[in-house]
Amino acid sequence: MLEKHPLLKKILLTSLICLPVMALGAYFRLYPLINKGPAYAKKMATEVVHAHFKDKLRLYIQKTYPNLDTKEKGKLLRIKFKESLIDDAAAISAMIEEGTRELLKSDNIRVSPFLLEADSYNFYGLTENIYKTGKISPQIEKGKYFNPLMLAPFGKWEPLSLHPFLGYYLYRVINLFETGVELMEAIKWLVILISVISVIPFFLVSLRLRISALNTFVGLIFFILGPLFVQRTVWGWYDTDVYNIFFPTLILLSVFSMFLALDKPKKPYLIAMLTSFLTAAYELFWHGWGFIFVIMLAALPFILLADYKFNHKQYAKKIILCYATYLISTFFCISILISPHTFLYTFEEGLKMLSSFLGAKFDLWPNIFLTVGETQSMSLEKVSFLVGGNYNYIYFPIAGCLMFLFSSFRLRNIRLLFSSILLTVFLLGTLYLALKAVRFSILLSVPAALCFTLFLEYTSKGVIYLVKNKFKKQHFVKPAKSIMAVIFLALTIIPISSADLIAGRITPIYNQTWDNAMQKIKKLTPENSIINTWWCPGHFITAVAKRRVVADGASQQEPQTYWIANALLSNSEELSLGILRMLDLSGNKALEYLEYEHGMIVSDATSLLKKILPLNQQEADAVLASEGFTPEEKTTILRMTHQTPFAAYIMVYTEMVDSYAALPYIGNWDFKKAEYLILNTQSNKNIRIPSRDSKDFLDFIFSLSGGLPACSPRYNEVARKDNKIRFENNFVLNIDTKEGFIISQKDGSIIQPKSIFYAENGQLQEKKYASSTLPYSVLLAENNNSYAIFLLDESVAKSFLFKLYYLKGKTLKHFTPVFTEESPTKDMVIMLYRINW
């Protein structure tokens, strides 16, 4: 019956393959919604407690048996751990129960009402603008919109994205069926919806490549459950990563269809125009879209060479015309949908982004992206796991790609050969990007899954060919097919288990503590205030608190980040105040004026600004006069540095202190050294800048900031008797006299640090130790009569950041506490201070 209705047969086949895969993909992406509860809490608590006991045993083994090799230590650890599970069963059980109760109270277990991460909040804020005003921004020009809350005090023009519009329209549709659904709850479903729809074009690509139903089904499961794909499209993730799956899959489908239609007179050109439209639509959602454009162009010479070699240039003219149609149509599509300027602008921005993320090119300004985890390079094994859920997965897509190339070449199927060449370029290009930076691993998901599906197809064909033709065992063909079907289906346990692992451990960055802080900022600060802080929570502040920020995730690469780091590192409150005043008045305009209007090099301009910023206006005027500035120039500079800004605040938080290393790298950057290297690298062969891929690159980069000042983790007090306190690192302190020493864990000897810093009577006090044997100082921090210490460099103890966070601003004159927000588990603190100009 179905043979008489081919369309019905196709629909049924599509449904049988795609619907179970889509359901499976949706299930794991809904983990944060459906898999939170007592059982999950107990599982997490058990893992944490067991890890704690293993850490203690590992430390014990290291101290007791230091000469054992690693393998023997591991074996002993397993034995000791099994013994602990029996001997300490009651204590372990009690700790697990306590941990379960604590987790059930926390945001990590309860269904979070919030979005997961910072960029999601950026798009949420834009969606909320559409919801409230009907526009993403009052100002939209040349494919950009103006965001007045970014890059304070002037605002920032950003490329237009349709992602917030899709979120808004999804909200409208959901409310047609269930009224009263909140905007934030509705938009959480958008990326899940798009990700499961991506199954359909992937299935259609498989049909174009003549892959069997079973192998397509298995390949689809690897595709939809790729760990990175799941992580970036889970419930509560409202970012644009999903479009890096959806559009490349559609574009591949379109291009493969174009190749297969080369014998038709008009069809390939129409498909080329369709591909242009899809590429232009991709640009409307993700502004790094140009990579697909480059891959298409990179494949062209190889496609023409294959046509020349194996087909006597039969398709050369048509291929060139199809490509010309694609290129011209893409330009016109983007020009019509947005503006001609956008086509060139997004290409330029994409190149800048790739250069910042990937390039070893040395620049005058510190590259902030080196401090971001997503920009770090990865091993092939880690890329393999992120994309396919197994450390060896990537070898199979590579093999599948080679099989596809070899098969299409051997069969002289020239149109399939074109597709195999494009897919090879796509796979290798995105694999290179993924190895260079974690951020681009998502781009590898589509070609890797497709090539893995091809591996399954050609492996099964190869086995059947051997059984049928080489071994002449015709009656073994069906059993061989059945065995391979079982094996291939069994392979799906890999993506299913990895998806369970990844989705089950996703925790939101934004939680109730952050939300409490944002609501307080919104309530306690004037509407046009500027909140100065490190760039990471900038999108939280603009989207939820609706306040201006100097830097955020979309402007982290701007010079403002350098100035914020300087302010936080400074040992001088007046300099920190002056830097913040300049930022809130004019951003980096003062430096730009000195550089472009007065001809100063950047190192001299920054030195001059740091010289005048701590001074009052009269003193600064005198310094500028001594430097030869005219009265008009002095007035221009002082207007940008020494007027009184509008209400402004500074926010510090736990993660800023915990990831302290990023600040010295940015804030202590030596522009003079950088300028010297840039000027002399080409002419002086003795000056060598290490490749970014080399082991020496990070050491070289950090050396330009003078290295990283020492700072230990927090050591909490563990015992107190009378006026003596013992801390976790065996530091013993007399809290009255501030005399202190460390008892060595090796031989019990006394080790004395250089000095101790503490707050007293509104001043930062330092007590030096005469018999010091350590080059580090101690910072004493107090919270509700409970103490903690840090071993650190003297400059860190005196830094503005540590005075704000650990000394609660007690030693500062110009900064008044507004509020302190603390998580229930005390592991996260957010503080806001008002700046008194």
Side-chain angles (χ1 to χ4, degrees):
M1 180 180 173
L2 289 177
E3 297 299 329
K4 297 179 182 179
H5 301 281
L7 179 61
L8 181 62
K9 182 180 178 180
K10 286 182 179 179
I11 293 173
L12 182 61
L13 179 64
T14 303
S15 301
L16 286 174
I17 293 176
C18 293
L19 289 180
V21 175
M22 294 166 83
L24 195 63
Y27 169 74
F28 283 105
R29 285 163 174 78
L30 291 172
Y31 254 35
L33 179 64
I34 62 178
N35 201 39
K36 300 283 184 165
Y40 181 64
K42 188 166 186 176
K43 177 185 174 185
M44 283 190 68
T46 302
E47 290 179 1
V48 171
V49 171
H50 284 184
H52 171 71
F53 268 81
K54 282 182 179 178
D55 286 342
K56 288 178 67 176
L57 289 169
R58 193 177 287 110
L59 187 62
Y60 165 77
I61 291 169
Q62 180 63 37
K63 288 181 178 179
T64 311
Y65 308 102
N67 297 322
L68 275 182
D69 62 34
T70 305
K71 187 176 179 180
E72 289 299 318
K73 285 178 183 175
K75 184 178 178 181
L76 185 58
L77 174 63
R78 290 190 291 273
I79 294 170
K80 292 287 184 184
F81 180 65
K82 287 180 181 178
E83 291 174 355
S84 291
L85 291 178
I86 298 171
D87 298 340
D88 302 316
I92 290 174
S93 178
M95 290 175 70
I96 290 172
E97 292 302 319
E98 177 62 25
T100 303
R101 285 193 293 272
E102 290 298 319
L103 283 170
L104 286 171
K105 297 176 187 176
S106 74
D107 292 325
N108 290 339
I109 295 299
R110 291 185 288 110
V111 176
S112 172
F114 309 116
L115 300 174
L116 291 177
E117 46 85 54
D119 286 344
S120 294
Y121 273 92
N122 179 36
F123 290 112
Y124 169 70
L126 299 174
T127 307
E128 197 174 37
N129 288 347
I130 300 167
Y131 169 72
K132 290 181 177 179
T133 67
K135 296 180 180 180
I136 200 168
S137 168
Q139 295 175 265
I140 301 174
E141 295 177 11
K142 296 180 179 180
K144 297 182 187 179
Y145 69 92
F146 181 70
N147 192 329
L149 301 180
M150 285 182 170
L151 216 59
F154 302 115
K156 188 172 187 285
W157 286 91
E158 282 280 278
L160 192 64
S161 171
L162 292 190
H163 180 59
F165 290 93
L166 281 190
Y168 170 69
Y169 289 121
L170 178 63
Y171 160 77
R172 292 287 299 273
V173 169
I174 289 174
N175 270 270
L176 289 176
F177 298 95
E178 187 178 349
T179 57
V181 175
E182 296 289 334
L183 179 65
M184 187 175 288
E185 290 302 304
I187 63 175
K188 290 178 180 180
W189 296 92
L190 179 63
V191 296
I192 297 176
L193 182 62
I194 297 171
S195 63
V196 297
I197 290 173
S198 299
V199 166
I200 297 172
F202 189 98
F203 170 77
L204 295 175
V205 170
S206 297
L207 284 185
R208 290 286 184 277
L209 300 180
R210 302 171 187 173
I211 299 172
S212 69
L214 174 68
N215 293 330
T216 297
F217 177 75
V218 175
L220 274 170
I221 292 177
F222 273 85
F223 168 69
I224 198 68
L225 296 185
L228 197 60
F229 188 15
V230 171
Q231 180 191 0
R232 299 297 177 87
T233 52
V234 77
W235 190 78
W237 193 280
Y238 186 54
D239 207 343
T240 56
D241 301 274
V242 69
Y243 304 110
N244 292 319
I245 300 291
F246 182 66
F247 281 107
T249 311
L250 279 175
I251 290 168
L252 273 182
L253 173 62
S254 183
V255 178
F256 288 173
S257 300
M258 181 183 77
F259 289 147
L260 293 175
L262 284 173
D263 287 329
K264 308 292 182 182
K266 296 180 180 178
K267 192 174 180 180
Y269 304 116
L270 294 173
I271 297 175
M273 293 174 70
L274 173 63
T275 310
S276 301
F277 176 78
L278 293 171
T279 306
Y282 189 15
E283 193 282 334
L284 290 170
F285 291 93
W286 189 63
H287 305 298
W289 66 278
F291 91 93
I292 199 83
F293 204 77
V294 172
I295 282 171
M296 289 278 288
L297 292 176
L300 179 59
F302 300 102
I303 290 171
L304 291 174
L305 181 63
D307 183 61
Y308 172 78
K309 186 75 175 174
F310 305 113
N311 207 41
H312 308 294
K313 298 192 287 185
Q314 180 180 338
Y315 291 125
K317 183 178 178 180
K318 188 169 280 190
I319 290 168
I320 291 171
L321 288 174
C322 283
Y323 260 81
T325 301
Y326 170 69
L327 297 174
I328 295 168
S329 299
T330 300
F331 175 76
F332 277 107
C333 282
I334 292 176
S335 300
I336 292 168
L337 291 173
I338 310 178
S339 74
H341 172 79
T342 301
F343 183 87
L344 299 174
Y345 168 77
T346 51
F347 244 99
E348 182 184 354
E349 290 299 303
L351 288 173
K352 285 181 182 177
M353 179 181 69
L354 280 173
S355 177
S356 297
F357 273 71
L358 305 176
K361 178 178 176 290
F362 183 72
D363 201 1
L364 176 60
W365 288 84
N367 186 348
I368 186 70
F369 291 118
L370 289 178
T371 69
V372 180
E374 281 197 335
T375 68
Q376 303 307 309
S377 59
M378 291 192 299
S379 65
L380 189 63
E381 289 76 16
K382 189 172 181 182
V383 170
S384 182
F385 179 81
L386 284 177
V387 176
N390 182 274
Y391 291 109
N392 296 309
Y393 166 79
I394 194 64
Y395 299 109
F396 297 101
I398 292 172
C401 186
L402 294 175
M403 289 175 174
F404 187 28
L405 267 173
F406 176 76
S407 175
S408 55
F409 166 75
R410 187 176 63 84
L411 296 173
R412 292 295 192 270
N413 189 329
I414 193 67
R415 290 171 298 170
L416 273 183
L417 182 59
F418 295 160
S419 297
S420 67
I421 290 171
L422 177 63
L423 187 58
T424 302
V425 173
F426 195 4
L427 178 71
L428 295 179
T430 52
L431 178 59
Y432 171 78
L433 292 175
L435 289 169
K436 285 287 189 177
V438 180
R439 176 71 180 87
F440 300 117
S441 296
I442 192 76
L443 302 176
L444 180 60
S445 299
V446 173
L450 190 55
C451 289
F452 177 77
T453 310
L454 285 164
F455 169 78
L456 299 178
E457 181 69 12
Y458 286 110
T459 299
S460 58
K461 283 182 177 179
V463 170
I464 298 305
Y465 175 81
L466 289 174
V467 170
K468 188 186 292 186
N469 297 300
K470 295 293 183 182
F471 302 123
K472 308 295 183 182
K473 303 289 184 180
Q474 186 70 34
H475 57 286
F476 281 169
V477 170
K478 285 187 177 180
K481 286 182 178 180
S482 300
I483 291 170
M484 281 190 295
V486 171
I487 292 172
F488 289 172
L489 287 171
L491 288 176
T492 60
I493 194 66
I494 295 171
I496 289 171
S497 60
S498 66
D500 176 68
L501 176 70
I502 296 295
R505 294 190 177 183
I506 289 174
T507 55
I509 296 172
Y510 189 90
N511 52 31
Q512 190 63 58
T513 306
W514 273 113
D515 195 63
N516 291 344
M518 294 303 104
Q519 298 303 333
K520 286 181 179 179
I521 289 174
K522 192 173 184 179
K523 181 180 178 181
L524 300 174
T525 65
E527 188 173 339
N528 208 30
S529 301
I530 295 175
I531 309 299
N532 297 275
T533 189
W534 195 230
W535 62 267
C536 307
H539 290 322
F540 298 161
I541 298 167
T542 58
V544 183
K546 304 296 182 186
R547 295 295 180 263
R548 296 185 292 167
V549 294
V550 171
D552 55 34
S555 56
Q556 56 189 308
Q557 72 281 4
E558 300 289 343
Q560 279 82 337
T561 307
Y562 164 77
W563 289 112
I564 293 171
N566 259 267
L568 293 169
L569 292 170
S570 174
N571 291 172
S572 163
E573 180 183 358
E574 297 301 327
L575 177 57
S576 297
L577 182 72
I579 291 172
L580 294 173
R581 183 175 58 224
M582 177 186 73
L583 284 173
D584 295 348
L585 280 171
S586 61
N588 192 50
K589 297 291 184 186
L591 187 142
E592 292 171 5
Y593 174 80
L594 292 172
E595 183 182 5
Y596 299 117
E597 299 297 328
H598 203 69
M600 296 182 72
I601 59 174
V602 172
S603 59
D604 289 343
T606 53
S607 296
L608 177 61
L609 287 173
K610 289 178 185 177
K611 193 174 180 180
I612 66 170
L613 287 174
L615 308 176
N616 62 39
Q617 188 161 342
Q618 290 73 28
E619 293 168 336
D621 185 281
V623 171
L624 291 173
S626 69
E627 295 285 339
F629 287 90
T630 67
E632 293 78 12
E633 291 170 337
K634 289 190 297 179
T635 300
T636 301
I637 295 169
L638 293 174
R639 192 183 299 122
M640 292 186 282
T641 59
H642 281 75
Q643 289 187 341
T644 303
F646 189 71
Y649 299 79
I650 185 164
M651 185 179 79
V652 293
Y653 53 96
T654 301
E655 189 183 356
M656 182 192 293
V657 181
D658 290 346
S659 56
Y660 175 80
L663 295 176
Y665 158 60
I666 302 296
N668 292 337
W669 186 255
D670 191 328
F671 284 103
K672 277 203 175 297
K673 285 184 181 178
E675 287 164 345
Y676 174 79
L677 288 168
I678 289 170
L679 288 171
N680 293 280
T681 302
Q682 298 298 326
S683 59
N684 189 339
K685 293 183 179 179
N686 293 323
I687 298 175
R688 188 183 68 87
I689 297 175
S691 164
R692 180 175 171 179
D693 296 327
S694 73
K695 295 179 180 179
D696 300 328
F697 182 69
L698 283 180
D699 289 338
F700 165 76
I701 286 294
F702 282 115
S703 71
L704 286 168
S705 302
L708 296 180
C711 181
S712 76
R714 172 201 296 261
Y715 296 113
N716 296 309
E717 65 171 278
V718 293
R720 188 186 299 199
K721 186 176 181 182
D722 299 327
N723 59 348
K724 289 187 175 62
I725 301 175
R726 181 188 290 270
F727 295 88
E728 288 173 318
N729 66 335
N730 274 346
F731 181 73
V732 178
L733 176 70
N734 184 315
I735 198 64
D736 296 332
T737 65
K738 300 300 185 295
E739 289 293 334
F741 54 86
I742 298 172
I743 303 173
S744 172
Q745 294 182 356
K746 277 188 176 181
D747 54 15
S749 61
I750 300 299
I751 303 170
Q752 199 159 47
K754 186 177 180 182
S755 63
I756 184 168
F757 288 92
Y758 56 96
E760 187 174 270
N761 301 323
Q763 298 292 324
L764 181 65
Q765 306 289 346
E766 181 182 18
K767 181 181 180 67
K768 294 183 181 291
Y769 296 134
S771 54
S772 168
T773 52
L774 267 184
Y776 309 119
S777 295
V778 169
L779 176 69
L780 179 67
E782 180 187 5
N783 185 25
N784 297 326
N785 202 35
S786 177
Y787 293 91
I789 62 162
F790 302 82
L791 280 174
L792 34 59
D793 190 88
E794 183 180 352
S795 65
V796 181
K798 293 179 178 180
S799 71
F800 178 55
L801 171 61
F802 276 53
K803 290 172 186 174
L804 286 172
Y805 188 84
Y806 290 116
L807 302 183
K808 309 290 190 291
K810 293 174 184 176
T811 66
L812 302 170
K813 298 183 295 183
H814 297 281
F815 299 86
T816 304
V818 177
F819 69 77
T820 297
E821 185 65 34
E822 195 169 15
S823 67
T825 53
K826 312 296 183 187
D827 61 343
M828 181 179 181
V829 179
I830 303 166
M831 303 174 181
L832 186 75
Y833 292 85
R834 184 177 68 251
I835 304 175
N836 306 312
W837 302 113

